[in-house]
Amino acid sequence: MIEHVEGKELVTTESAITETASNVSSDDWNYKSDNVAINIEKIQTGQGKDTVTYFVADVQLSDSSSLKSAFAKDLFGQNIVEKTSEIAADNKAIFAVNGDYYGFRSDGVLIRNGVLYRDEPARVGAALLKNGTMQTFDETDVAASSLLADGALHTLSFGPVLIKNGEVVEDFDKVSVDSNFGNRSIQGSNPRTGIGMISANHYVFVVVDGRKESYSKGMTLSEFSNVFANLGCTEAYNLDGGGSSTMYFMGRVVNNPLGKQEERSISDILYIKG
């Protein structure tokens, strides 16, 4: 596939940022500074063919500016891809997960780091706001200008919504599936990535491994939404899954993508800086 840059360049590399975190302590599963606290837990349930393995990152921020987004190769466009770990390393991320794979579709509302890159309403999206909160919205009902006025730093266009206003979504039978490459099916038990909010500037990121017998079969959307509910989230949203599902922390990939330790190259990440 040929890379296609769509006119805007996202300059987010952390080499341009001069501030440094103070009072930092960390180990393989935890990070704490004056601005950020991250705790990652590996959870395994079931046994045999019903085994499920997933990773929960509890992230507390002192300010919403610590949660950022980055494009592959720092370029906005289609078919521009890198691995999650590569994009994260390029941006000196402490923590990262794959985003919504915006580059393999031409629609959706795309705001990243406060900049509007695409305004082609198509589905229910999620917005991460300057006040540290998260909300989901119908892209066809809410103008991008209104989202920016309300303080949207990032929007994500994938879905579906898992939890809204404290209510867990139970029925995913009528969820439409995008026809874009890399998202042929979201039903059944699959690897998954999602983001949830417990309270302002208190987020939960969950990555589920799958498609490897006796290690992890993956989760259905209903199972995935219940994970976020049990973690105390009032909002939660499904991101790109399958081979894209990747969690990065302190220089390493934490999970096991597709049970093969092989990352898929993607178009974007959400990440935390110190």
Side-chain angles (χ1 to χ4, degrees):
M1 295 184 182
I2 299 173
E3 293 182 358
H4 175 62
V5 180
E6 296 184 16
K8 290 186 179 181
E9 183 172 351
L10 182 68
V11 182
T12 60
T13 51
E14 296 304 316
S15 58
I17 296 173
T18 56
E19 70 265 27
T20 57
S22 58
N23 300 319
V24 173
S25 61
S26 65
D27 58 31
D28 286 347
W29 300 98
N30 301 277
Y31 176 96
K32 185 172 178 58
S33 72
D34 290 340
N35 303 318
V36 176
I38 301 172
N39 170 260
I40 300 175
E41 184 177 3
K42 177 181 179 179
I43 299 171
Q44 195 164 63
T45 64
Q47 56 185 343
K49 66 179 182 179
D50 294 320
T51 302
V52 177
T53 302
Y54 62 102
F55 299 80
V56 176
D58 184 282
V59 176
Q60 298 187 58
L61 311 174
S62 63
D63 187 272
S64 61
S65 63
S66 293
L67 176 55
K68 294 183 173 292
S69 176
F71 294 153
K73 302 181 182 179
D74 287 324
L75 294 172
F76 168 66
Q78 292 183 286
N79 305 327
I80 302 172
V81 296
E82 288 182 294
K83 295 176 181 178
T84 295
S85 60
E86 293 171 338
I87 308 173
D90 287 346
N91 288 275
K92 296 182 171 61
I94 300 165
F95 170 86
V97 295
N98 61 285
D100 64 4
Y101 219 151
Y102 83 88
F104 276 85
R105 64 178 63 85
S106 59
D107 57 16
V109 175
L110 187 70
I111 297 171
R112 298 295 165 88
N113 301 308
V115 176
L116 177 63
Y117 286 87
R118 180 184 290 163
D119 190 8
E120 298 291 341
R123 58 186 62 81
V124 176
L128 305 176
L129 307 176
K130 288 181 181 178
N131 64 8
T133 64
M134 171 183 172
Q135 65 182 38
T136 55
F137 63 98
D138 189 330
E139 293 177 339
T140 63
D141 290 340
V142 182
S145 58
S146 296
L147 291 167
L148 290 168
D150 289 341
L153 293 175
H154 317 285
T155 58
L156 302 159
S157 187
F158 197 90
V161 176
L162 303 173
I163 302 176
K164 185 176 180 66
N165 296 326
E167 296 294 325
V168 180
V169 176
E170 300 286 353
D171 184 6
F172 294 99
D173 290 341
K174 296 181 180 180
V175 172
S176 60
V177 180
D178 284 353
S179 60
N180 59 289
F181 174 80
N183 183 26
R184 295 188 178 89
S185 174
I186 60 172
Q187 308 301 333
S189 294
N190 287 297
R192 302 200 181 273
T193 300
I195 178 174
M197 183 194 75
I198 294 175
S199 59
N201 285 317
H202 187 181
Y203 292 98
V204 175
F205 298 84
V206 180
V207 168
V208 182
D209 281 336
R211 303 177 188 170
K212 185 173 177 62
E213 189 172 349
S214 299
Y215 168 69
S216 189
K217 68 175 183 176
M219 285 188 186
T220 66
L221 285 168
S222 293
E223 291 168 338
F224 200 38
S225 63
N226 284 323
V227 168
F228 285 99
N230 291 336
L231 290 167
C233 293
T234 59
E235 304 286 337
Y237 189 76
N238 184 58
L239 297 173
D240 187 25
S244 299
S245 289
T246 306
M247 182 180 288
Y248 170 98
F249 181 64
M250 300 291 286
R252 78 186 200 280
V253 174
V254 172
N255 69 309
N256 183 356
L258 283 178
K260 300 177 181 179
Q261 298 289 359
E262 296 178 1
E263 294 178 73
R264 171 189 286 169
S265 292
I266 57 168
S267 59
D268 61 307
I269 64 169
L270 289 172
Y271 74 96
I272 305 295
K273 72 179 187 69

